[in-house]
Amino acid sequence: MVNSQDKIFIRNYDDFKARLSEYVNRVINEVPSDNFEEALIGYLVDLYTDSFYEELEYILNELGLELDEVEYRNAQNSINQSGFARSNYTRLKEIFASRKADILSIRDEVVAEKGVLDQEEIDRRIVPIIELISVSEVHMAIEKASVETAKVLHHITGEVIYKRWNSVNDERTCPICRLLDGTRVPVGISFIEGLDPEDDAYDVAVNYLSYTGGDFSYAHPRCRCWLTYEKEEVTL
């Protein structure tokens, strides 16, 4: 099973992580960092846009759909970059504010323990924060672009397009992602709608998906799940 988003993630993760690390270093040394915050948000907006265009090609091929020149241009022009920016700006600013407080707390703890600003020890302790933000935000920008692309194609073609939740299913896969694996719903519907309310894990799964609304395959920080798409099956 192909994870089309994986190549986009691999191409952008290290770059975003490096930029975030520079931002964190400025926070630690109390150098003005507001412009770096804005640049990080801008990076994610650009990633969303680039992912939309790549997913457009992937989903068309995956579903065997063809667009004429006008439809294809309309699809490309449907990317709502400003909408993504508006819907994520406040959330990201809150994340940066919260993590900035955590980083400064770690810095102060190290100074209290060591008596000096031990940059190496500080770096060691903040690596999990940098990695968590990088994995989560890069993943979510790509996933959001993917499902929005499928919605655009549904609107333009009139095809009933389904999204399917795919989990890695190895020893690291959590019970919620195992439960969601294979869940199939129309692209405009939350994955919550595809779950069985009678399942013992239903309430827990809904709680996990509440952060994103279940619109795309992201259940928790470091989630490795991804989307694939299918057309409605026609029964003769």
Side-chain angles (χ1 to χ4, degrees), residues 131-224:
E131 291 182 344
L132 179 60
I133 296 175
S134 299
V135 169
S136 297
E137 296 305 328
V138 170
H139 186 162
M140 284 199 289
I142 297 168
E143 287 282 298
K144 286 181 180 181
S146 181
V147 76
E148 287 304 315
T149 306
K151 290 177 183 178
V152 165
L153 289 176
H154 161 69
H155 176 73
I156 288 176
T157 66
E159 292 277 359
V160 178
I161 300 174
Y162 290 86
K163 57 188 177 185
R164 184 181 294 275
W165 187 296
N166 302 281
S167 301
V168 177
N169 287 326
D170 60 15
E171 68 281 357
R172 294 168 51 201
T173 305
C174 77
I176 300 304
C177 291
R178 289 188 190 279
L179 171 68
L180 287 160
D181 185 46
T183 301
R184 178 179 182 264
V185 295
V187 292
I189 293 177
S190 168
F191 279 107
I192 294 172
E193 300 298 320
L195 297 176
D196 182 359
E198 301 300 319
D199 193 290
D200 291 341
Y202 176 80
D203 290 339
V204 178
V206 170
N207 184 58
Y208 268 65
L209 296 180
S210 63
Y211 182 61
T212 64
D215 195 34
F216 52 94
S217 54
Y218 191 84
H220 53 79
R222 299 186 186 279
C223 186
R224 297 175 294 153

Side-chain angles (χ1 to χ4, degrees), residues 58-82:
Y58 164 74
I59 297 172
L60 284 171
N61 182 66
E62 185 76 1
L63 300 182
L65 295 175
E66 292 186 6
L67 303 180
D68 62 34
E69 184 177 344
V70 173
E71 289 174 329
Y72 190 78
R73 187 164 59 250
N74 287 341
Q76 288 184 313
N77 291 338
S78 295
I79 176 67
N80 190 357
Q81 187 181 56
S82 61

